[in-house]
Amino acid sequence: MAVRKIVLAGAPVLKAKAQPVTKMTKSIKTLLKDMKDTLYDANGVGLAAPQVGESLRIFVIDDGNGYVEYINPEIITLSDEKEEMTEGCLSVPGFVGVVERSTGVTVRYEDRNGRTHEVSATGLLAQAIQHENDHIDGTLYIERAKNLYKENEGTIE
């Protein structure tokens, strides 16, 4: 088990647009395994490569329905219907915020074997895909949050 250190808000790698994966190398496969270990160790729903210091277009999600690796994801469609959702982030520990997200999303991505997949999602998975996709585009949820709360306390913004 290789758990990587999670990069916190303010780190330059979290503000940069991540680079696409052009070749599946041994180091990318190691990164994917480490991201899975880190996600589960942190008890998270999703984790993007920039959150472990790697500026690559990769994120991993387990919304309770199974673990999925998203390599070079591209959001194809977002539903017009929006909803305010409470979010937290492993890179912003101790805080949650209210973010408006589309209730549905379709994403195209590659797996570690280079196969292309397209999936449409709603609920927590749709929220997680949008949240993690923001990470690889250099945006943190706190930049979108209407209200930011210290966990178990009142509004701070």
Side-chain angles (χ1 to χ4, degrees):
M1 179 181 206
V3 174
R4 296 197 183 195
K5 181 178 179 185
I6 296 174
V7 176
L8 299 180
V13 71
L14 295 176
K15 296 300 295 171
K17 188 169 176 93
Q19 299 301 305
V21 174
T22 57
K23 183 178 179 185
M24 185 53 61
T25 62
K26 184 177 178 181
S27 66
I28 298 291
K29 289 178 182 177
T30 299
L31 171 64
L32 288 165
K33 182 185 179 327
D34 292 353
M35 287 177 67
K36 182 178 185 180
D37 292 345
T38 304
L39 176 70
Y40 289 138
D41 182 72
N43 198 29
V45 172
L47 182 71
Q51 291 181 273
V52 292
E54 300 288 341
S55 188
L56 292 169
R57 296 190 72 76
I58 297 173
F59 58 77
V60 298
I61 293 175
D62 188 340
D63 68 339
N65 293 303
Y67 173 81
V68 179
E69 298 169 339
Y70 297 79
I71 301 166
N72 297 327
E74 176 187 356
I75 291 184
I76 304 301
T77 60
L78 291 168
S79 67
D80 290 336
E81 185 178 342
K82 307 238 187 260
E83 183 177 309
E84 288 188 348
M85 306 173 180
T86 301
E87 293 188 11
C89 181
L90 297 174
S91 291
V92 189
F95 294 90
V96 294
V98 176
V99 180
E100 186 175 90
R101 298 274 187 201
S102 291
T103 59
V105 63
T106 300
V107 63
R108 182 179 301 130
Y109 64 95
E110 298 168 27
D111 64 24
R112 65 171 56 221
N113 298 311
R115 290 185 297 248
T116 300
H117 301 269
E118 192 170 300
V119 68
S120 295
T122 58
L124 180 59
L125 182 56
Q127 181 181 12
I129 288 169
Q130 292 171 78
H131 178 105
E132 300 308 329
N133 198 75
D134 277 354
H135 273 298
I136 62 174
D137 284 340
T139 301
L140 290 176
Y141 88 98
I142 56 177
E143 296 169 53
R144 296 185 184 278
K146 293 182 180 181
N147 294 305
L148 191 61
Y149 302 89
K150 194 159 186 165
E151 282 184 310
N152 304 317
E153 293 183 23
T155 306
I156 63 165
E157 238 180 30

